Amino acid sequence: MTTISDLTAAESTSDRRIKSFRSIPSPDTIRTELPLTSRRALTVQRDREEIADILAGRDDRLLVVVGPCSVHDPIAAIDYARRLAPLAADHADRLKIVMRVYFEKPRTTVGWKGLINDPGMDGSFDVERGLRTARSLLLDIIDLGLPVGCEFLEPTSPQYIADAVAWGAIGARTTESQVHRQLASGLSMPIGFKNGTDGNVQVAIDGVKAAAAQHVFFGVDDFGHGAVVETAGNDECHVILRGGTAGPNHDADSVASAVAALAKAGLPERIMIDCSHANSGKDHIRQAEVAEEIATAIRATRASGTPVTISGVMLESFLEPGAQSPDAESLTYGQSVTDKCMGWEASAAVLATLARA
Ligand SMILES: O=C[C@H](O)[C@H](O)COP(=O)(O)O
Ligand SMILES: C=C(OP(=O)(O)O)C(=O)O
């Protein structure tokens, strides 16, 4: 048993399990170094408004969030964006295409936590480099004419990048977290809440309701100082069906029951469907089939004259199909290091199918 004399004054009872603190530049410093500029800000704001219009039913295009499960190589991400941008322009009258640019990965237990946390993928955890790389990649992608979508995981990281983001997600593992709901209540863009990993959709609906309210919580200001944050509430949030441990939830019955639960909660009766994760059994080939099934469902709903409740689709897609281990000795260019993704050709075909729907 520890006695008082075992504790030195410096150790005391605090930080017994903290190995170090490393300072990083404030959000204001990084944003000043890599400015959004008013031209890009106008583009981001216009994209956010278009996305909010789709989610509210004021614009009948389909929102498509498509891109790699995670970004580990900014060169491959820009290569992907260069291919996606002309397709986004071609389909712009039917689809609003947003590139998935995910820098923060929530893990079931442990694993690589994304480019911001460990940009070298070698355990050096150079977060400062990660933040700069992430921000500069977002600016480059915006310059190609593509809106970007990110998952927000760390409660203070959005201050470094969120001004460049047109759509955001709260993931299945954090949808029930008060911290993430508070965060969403202060974010400036529409936010999708995933259903829980067990398939529970109500927690996502609760997330949407909680995020619409005003909150007061602990945070950090733009200069990196501890602060009490007061938010206005975000009424542009929605639910994302991603399946769960019991199986997929993109079928007509699951969609109808989610929409009924939204109506009961007094929320807009519109959802996004994630074709990946538990809706595809994490199988990238199945993902394309799920997208095809959704396209068929949308076509049938339109033909019947009833309102379309599927407003958005999410696809995990990269240059090469499948996935590889982040620990591989030599990494295959353009292939995911997290979940399996559809390759480029399959992705382009799925976008064409969705546009036809
Ligand atoms: O989308 C990515 C993964 O599904 C998520 O980060 C969980 O990954 P893991 O179960 O491999 O940790
Ligand atoms: C982690 C993700 O999904 P989910 O939260 O649904 O597991 C993701 O979309 O990258």
Side-chain angles (χ1 to χ4, degrees):
M1 181 193 286
T2 307
T3 64
I4 292 204
S5 59
D6 290 332
L7 297 170
T8 69
E11 281 173 339
S12 175
T13 53
S14 302
D15 299 340
R16 306 275 300 176
R17 295 197 172 94
I18 304 293
K19 284 164 73 177
S20 70
F21 287 103
R22 266 186 287 145
S23 304
I24 52 170
S26 68
D28 180 67
T29 305
I30 300 261
R31 293 206 310 248
T32 306
E33 259 175 45
L34 296 163
L36 183 64
T37 71
S38 46
R39 184 181 49 80
R40 293 192 191 105
L42 267 176
T43 309
V44 172
Q45 195 48 35
R46 190 204 59 213
D47 286 327
R48 288 174 177 171
E49 284 165 14
E50 285 183 34
I51 293 166
D53 282 348
I54 292 173
L55 294 165
R58 295 185 290 267
D59 177 335
D60 72 352
R61 289 180 297 165
L62 186 69
L63 172 63
V64 182
V65 179
V66 55
C69 177
S70 54
V71 170
H72 67 280
D73 171 2
I75 295 172
I78 263 295
D79 192 353
Y80 181 92
R82 285 206 182 96
R83 296 189 202 193
L84 185 61
L87 280 194
D90 286 352
H91 294 309
D93 55 337
R94 292 167 180 207
L95 307 178
K96 176 73 183 168
I97 294 183
V98 173
M99 179 166 158
R100 235 186 97 107
V101 191
Y102 276 32
F103 298 121
E104 299 187 292
K105 296 310 294 174
R107 305 312 304 230
T108 305
T109 51
V110 290
W112 181 66
K113 285 189 259 182
L115 182 132
I116 290 181
N117 182 269
D118 190 12
M121 297 173 76
D122 55 3
S124 53
F125 303 107
D126 189 348
V127 172
E128 187 172 332
R129 174 158 78 91
L131 285 167
R132 286 199 173 90
T133 308
R135 184 166 175 85
S136 107
L137 178 62
L138 292 181
L139 301 184
D140 289 346
I141 294 175
I142 292 171
D143 287 345
L144 291 173
L146 281 173
V148 298
C150 292
E151 173 167 347
F152 293 114
L153 185 58
E154 293 286 350
T156 52
S157 64
Q159 277 152 287
Y160 291 86
I161 56 168
D163 55 332
V165 176
W167 174 91
I170 299 296
R173 290 162 189 75
T174 47
T175 210
E176 215 170 347
S177 145
Q178 177 156 292
V179 172
H180 291 81
R181 291 169 173 187
Q182 289 171 166
L183 170 65
S185 78
L187 286 169
S188 308
M189 72 296 294
I191 297 287
F193 280 82
K194 295 269 190 105
N195 66 252
T197 54
D198 60 356
N200 185 330
V201 176
Q202 188 58 44
V203 292
I205 294 175
D206 293 344
V208 170
K209 280 201 110 166
Q214 302 182 9
H215 291 274
V216 177
F217 54 92
F218 280 51
V220 166
D221 69 14
D222 282 341
F223 304 98
H225 304 134
V228 172
V229 185
E230 285 189 55
T231 64
N234 185 346
D235 60 1
E236 293 177 341
C237 296
H238 64 96
V239 165
I240 308 173
L241 299 182
R242 49 85 78 200
T245 38
N249 61 4
H250 65 279
D251 58 288
D253 286 350
S254 304
V255 170
S257 109
V259 166
L262 283 166
K264 193 169 164 214
L267 293 169
E269 295 166 38
R270 279 181 201 86
I271 47 138
M272 174 182 282
I273 297 182
D274 176 1
C275 299
S276 187
H277 300 99
N279 275 334
S280 65
K282 289 202 175 185
D283 170 355
H284 58 294
I285 295 165
R286 174 79 192 120
Q287 209 192 140
E289 295 164 4
V290 171
E292 183 80 46
E293 286 163 28
I294 293 168
T296 304
I298 293 175
R299 256 196 310 271
T301 312
R302 279 200 198 284
S304 73
T306 41
V308 178
T309 53
I310 301 171
S311 294
V313 166
M314 176 180 282
L315 303 165
E316 290 195 303
S317 140
F318 208 0
L319 299 174
E320 296 298 329
Q324 59 189 324
S325 162
D327 303 323
E329 245 184 32
S330 76
L331 290 174
T332 301
Y333 178 76
Q335 191 176 47
S336 174
V337 295
T338 46
D339 288 347
K340 289 180 189 162
C341 291
M342 294 187 293
W344 176 252
E345 281 75 26
S347 307
V350 164
L351 291 174
T353 303
L354 291 171
R356 279 195 300 274

